[in-house]
Amino acid sequence: MSDIDTHRPPAAATPPSPGEAEAITTKERTQLQLVLSRFVRHKVAMISLGVFLLIAAWAFLVPHVWPHPHTIDRSIPQNVPWFQMWEHPLGTTQLGHDLMARMMKATQNSILVGLVAATIGVTIGTVWGAVAGFYRGWIDAVMMRIVDVIIVVPVLVIYLVVAGSIRGGASWYGLAILIGLFAWTAESRIIRGHVMSLREREYIEAARAMGASDVRIIFRHLIPNTTSIIVVAFTLAIAIAIIAEAALSFLGFGIRPPDISLGQMIQQAQTAVFVRPWLFYLPGLMIVAIVLAINFIGDGLRDALDPRQTMVRR
């Protein structure tokens, strides 16, 4: 009797358990890595970040190698249209300004105003809202009524009154401080609402039981846990401050000559909008580009900091 060939087919592979499958498709990452990974995958935000960095590099670095000042230079030909001379690619003004130099200086001032004003406003709003939300009761009531009073009065009116009383006009940092001192009410309300929910968490009760002071609880536990809100609010505050500066300068209550800002450039060129339109539209387009870029960056940060997104696929 001949031997029978009994080759058996290989046994089917055992399917991985749900835990093993999860381990195959995901890997553990720190919170910062998760946030950065989600932000990098946000294409619009990354493009906007690149645009903003290019604008900032152009405004802050190129003036060091550009041969013309942003002030009046009698050696510069007047009323040169843009892209007619390589030496003055954006043209010149009727008084003999090189528009490229003025655009760089104005963009630099507008970005600085936005950054400083946003830092001041978000800092005040965060501390104010955290204190009100933590203590609640009559302290919260008084602090929120102060916020209501500031909200009722149009902020632009406050800016006009204060800026108009400054003899000789405001410098960029003076204007930034002025905007920051009154541009924090929205942030304070948002932070207050978030802190009121955080103060009931177990880790806050544990900190109280261990004898932590109110100041330590607020600045060590509550405010750090509102970082995602603060970051998004900061980006939006930059855009709001830049628009506020442009509005004040356009109305003649902002940065005054010989200093320059984008709003002031628009105000000075409004009579030449049909004759030399590049003097009017270029600063306006720069404001639009900066504000849109910052807003899209804020959208990307908001999505990246969303705590509901806890897993990143390989």
Side-chain angles (χ1 to χ4, degrees):
M1 185 175 181
S2 61
D3 294 335
I4 300 175
D5 190 5
T6 58
H7 291 290
R8 296 180 180 179
T14 304
S17 64
E20 293 173 344
E22 185 73 10
I24 292 173
T25 57
T26 63
K27 63 180 180 180
E28 185 177 357
R29 300 186 183 184
T30 65
Q31 186 64 29
L32 179 59
Q33 289 175 328
L34 289 171
V35 170
L36 290 176
S37 179
R38 290 194 291 263
F39 183 75
V40 169
R41 294 207 311 270
H42 199 294
K43 295 181 180 179
V44 176
M46 288 300 296
I47 294 173
S48 300
L49 178 61
V51 170
F52 180 75
L53 291 177
L54 284 176
I55 292 175
W58 173 74
F60 286 91
L61 300 180
V62 175
H64 294 289
V65 297
W66 192 248
H68 305 293
H70 70 277
T71 54
I72 296 176
D73 188 346
R74 297 302 180 185
S75 63
I76 293 177
Q78 301 174 357
N79 290 332
V80 175
W82 66 333
F83 294 112
Q84 192 173 74
M85 294 178 61
W86 172 249
E87 188 178 0
H88 307 285
L90 297 185
T92 62
T93 68
Q94 187 176 5
L95 298 177
H97 296 103
D98 177 72
L99 193 60
M100 174 76 85
R102 284 174 66 79
M103 282 282 294
M104 289 187 289
K105 181 63 176 178
T107 303
Q108 183 182 131
N109 283 341
S110 295
I111 292 176
L112 288 173
V113 168
L115 291 173
V116 174
T119 300
I120 296 173
V122 171
T123 300
I124 296 174
T126 299
V127 175
W128 193 276
V131 171
F134 177 76
Y135 286 108
R136 298 195 297 187
W138 69 269
I139 296 178
D140 175 43
V142 171
M143 296 179 73
M144 287 301 103
R145 295 301 76 75
I146 294 174
V147 172
D148 292 340
V149 170
I150 298 175
I151 292 176
V152 168
V153 181
V155 177
L156 185 59
V157 174
I158 299 175
Y159 292 159
L160 292 176
V161 171
V162 178
S165 63
I166 300 175
R167 182 175 299 179
S171 58
W172 72 262
Y173 52 85
L175 192 61
I177 294 173
L178 172 63
I179 294 173
L181 288 177
F182 294 96
W184 53 270
T185 52
E187 289 83 359
S188 68
R189 285 184 170 275
I190 296 172
I191 296 296
R192 169 183 173 268
H194 196 61
V195 166
M196 290 181 72
S197 64
L198 290 177
R199 72 187 299 275
E200 306 300 333
R201 300 289 179 87
E202 291 80 3
Y203 66 89
I204 300 299
E205 295 297 330
R208 285 199 186 100
M210 294 176 64
S213 65
D214 292 348
V215 174
R216 179 175 177 81
I217 292 175
I218 292 172
F219 289 94
R220 180 67 180 83
H221 299 288
L222 291 176
I223 290 180
N225 280 283
T226 61
T227 302
S228 59
I229 299 175
I230 294 172
V231 170
V232 176
F234 180 75
T235 58
L236 297 178
I238 295 174
I240 293 172
I242 290 175
I243 294 175
E245 180 277 322
L248 287 172
S249 296
F250 179 79
L251 295 173
F253 292 92
I255 298 175
R256 306 282 179 87
D259 212 347
I260 187 69
S261 72
L262 294 173
Q264 184 194 122
M265 291 183 67
I266 296 174
Q267 188 268 339
Q268 292 175 348
Q270 60 181 329
T271 57
V273 63
F274 298 109
V275 182
R276 296 181 295 277
W278 64 91
L279 300 178
F280 181 87
Y281 288 111
L282 287 179
L285 290 174
M286 181 59 71
I287 294 175
V288 172
I290 295 173
V291 171
L292 284 179
I294 292 174
N295 283 335
F296 286 134
I297 292 171
D299 289 342
L301 288 172
R302 181 197 59 203
D303 295 340
L305 292 166
D306 187 352
R308 292 171 295 181
Q309 301 185 37
T310 58
M311 186 175 66
V312 176
R313 296 287 178 184
R314 285 186 181 181

